[in-house]
Amino acid sequence: MLLKEYVSRIEEACGEGRDFIVILKYAKREEAVRRILEKCKIERTFSKVMIMGKYKNKEISVFITGKLILKGLKGRKEAEEILEELLT
């Protein structure tokens, strides 16, 4: 399972929508970010610190530090499925 290889933890964010914060493993973060950005439709880049994109109509914010924010999901299972697809 790719999640165990690349993801340190997944946490549900506070607030209204079902947003998830994903922390990538430090040693694999560059490779993971590259894989994710290859599959996303990039919408905005903020001075190479954060990149906002879309994947399957879900908004994804990718921080160069190895943090991701997945917005508008139905639950943790959907977050894990999307991450698995992005990391393949």
Side-chain angles (χ1 to χ4, degrees):
M1 192 173 197
L2 288 171
L3 291 183
K4 288 183 181 174
E5 186 178 342
Y6 290 101
V7 176
S8 175
R9 65 184 189 267
I10 301 172
E11 299 174 358
E12 191 165 352
C14 300
E16 289 189 20
R18 296 289 303 258
D19 299 347
F20 288 86
I21 299 169
V22 178
I23 309 296
L24 299 172
K25 289 187 178 176
Y26 186 81
K28 294 276 195 170
R29 80 182 196 288
E30 289 177 19
E31 181 183 346
V33 166
R34 182 181 47 78
R35 286 178 177 221
I36 290 165
L37 293 178
E38 285 174 358
K39 293 190 173 84
C40 285
K41 178 181 178 272
I42 296 172
E43 296 188 331
R44 280 192 266 165
T45 302
F46 297 94
S47 65
K48 297 201 179 204
V49 174
M50 183 182 95
I51 299 168
M52 292 179 74
K54 287 217 178 213
Y55 179 76
K56 292 189 172 181
N57 286 330
K58 304 296 180 192
E59 190 177 310
I60 301 174
S61 300
V62 180
F63 294 84
I64 206 70
T65 57
K67 182 176 9 176
L68 312 172
I69 301 176
L70 308 175
K71 296 186 176 194
L73 304 179
K74 294 180 185 103
R76 186 180 183 94
K77 185 172 175 20
E78 184 182 19
E80 290 174 353
E81 288 170 359
I82 286 177
L83 281 169
E84 192 75 33
E85 290 173 19
L86 287 169
L87 292 168
T88 53

